[in-house]
Each structure stands twice: as structure tokens, then as C-alpha cells.
Amino acid sequence: MRFAAALTLAALVATPVSAQSPCITGPEAEAMTLVALPDIIRETGRVCAARLPATSLVRNQSSTLISRYQIEADRAWPSARAAIVKLSDPAVDALLQSDYARPLLTSLLVPQIVGRIVARDCGTIDRLVTLLQPLPPRNTAGIVVETLRYLKADKARRGDRSTPDLPLCTATESR
């Protein structure tokens, strides 16, 4: 799930203030994912427009899917903002209070995620979004985060360098 890489937002804005690297909990990661998903879906639709039929859910920018995700993104922003502050310097909080902070962060992040989409993957991405569409957006964000948690654990086992190193807390760190 390429759009799952929304969690790399933490890596983009994080400047840890202590020697021990902070991590984000599952709910914090889900909030960050929810904030980025509407823009990721929109941009994926634009990037994949030539490869998908006009009826494709990803390509159909007027769909209720994006509206549903936008509502949840708005609700999740305060939690996502707190997670970003947790991963960076507390002084960042004042900057994130601006109405411009969220669009700026997503405008920096989304092209980095969607820019990794290979045209031949557009059909698979559309199929995944179509399968996830009946779920509430929070459930989709949960699936994304758990997939990333699995990939992080698998990376540690195999030493895979291609999987992003995301600051997800382990079960013991979340407590």
C-alpha cells in the first residue's frame, strides 16, 4: 500500500530533542495517516488517470470516498499535530497551529509518496482502494498502520533496507 507511507511525515518533520528517539503509538500513526490520505488519493488519481478507466474509484475525484476521508482527516488533525510535535521540538507546536501548516506538510509529503507510484501499479492501487472503500476511514488507517508495523518487524528480521524506517512504537514502548 504505497499510500500507507503517509507516516513518513514524521521522518520529514522530526528533529528529536533527546538522545533516545521518540516513537508514535498506533492511534497517533493512524491520525497522521488519516490526515494525508485524502490528498494521497487525489494525487494518485491524477497520476494514474491515463492508466485507469474514468469510472475508477481512485480516478473519480468527485467521489464521496474523498469527502469521507476529508471529514476524518479534519477530525484527526489535532492528534496528528500532537504526534508531529512529539517527534520534533515542542517549539514546532506554535508553527503547526497555523491554518497553513497542514496544507504545507501534505504538499511536501504527498508528492514524495505518490512520486513512487509506477504506472503498472495503478490498477493494483485502484483495486486496493476499491476493496477498502466500504470500511470507515479510521479502519483503513488502522490497516495501513498495522501493515507498516508488520513491514518494520519484517525489515528487522531480514535486514531489508528498502522498507521505510518509521518511528512506530513497539507494544512495550506504547505503554
Side-chain angles (χ1 to χ4, degrees):
M1 300 166 85
R2 294 186 194 279
F3 63 86
L7 297 176
T8 58
L9 175 60
L12 295 174
V13 298
T15 307
V17 294
S18 68
Q20 183 180 18
S21 296
C23 61
I24 54 173
T25 64
E28 291 168 331
E30 289 171 22
M32 293 173 74
T33 301
L34 279 168
V35 166
L37 279 173
D39 291 329
I40 291 170
I41 294 168
R42 277 188 203 98
E43 186 63 12
T44 299
R46 188 191 65 73
V47 167
C48 290
R51 300 284 281 189
L52 297 172
T55 57
S56 158
L57 189 59
V58 169
R59 188 172 163 194
N60 186 353
Q61 299 296 305
S62 63
S63 76
T64 58
L65 174 74
I66 293 175
S67 298
R68 285 179 42 231
Y69 276 85
Q70 192 61 57
I71 290 167
E72 288 302 318
D74 295 342
R75 288 182 185 149
W77 173 239
S79 296
R81 186 178 64 230
I84 294 166
V85 170
K86 179 180 175 181
L87 290 170
S88 53
D89 190 297
V92 162
D93 192 30
L95 297 172
L96 293 176
Q97 298 294 331
S98 164
D99 290 340
Y100 301 105
R102 182 171 148 197
L104 178 64
L105 288 172
T106 57
S107 73
L108 294 171
L109 172 69
V110 171
Q112 291 186 24
I113 295 167
V114 178
R116 295 177 179 215
I117 294 174
V118 178
R120 70 176 177 270
D121 293 335
C122 290
T124 300
I125 293 168
D126 187 58
R127 175 78 174 135
L128 286 169
V129 171
T130 300
L131 290 169
L132 293 169
Q133 187 270 336
L135 295 177
R138 289 199 172 274
N139 288 56
T140 300
I143 289 169
V144 167
V145 170
E146 287 308 310
T147 300
L148 291 172
R149 189 181 309 280
Y150 170 79
L151 291 172
K152 181 178 181 177
D154 189 53
K155 174 184 177 176
R157 284 189 297 271
R158 294 185 302 121
D160 180 7
R161 298 188 189 277
S162 65
T163 304
D165 190 16
L166 304 170
L168 289 169
C169 298
T170 63
T172 56
E173 291 171 319
S174 294
R175 294 181 186 153

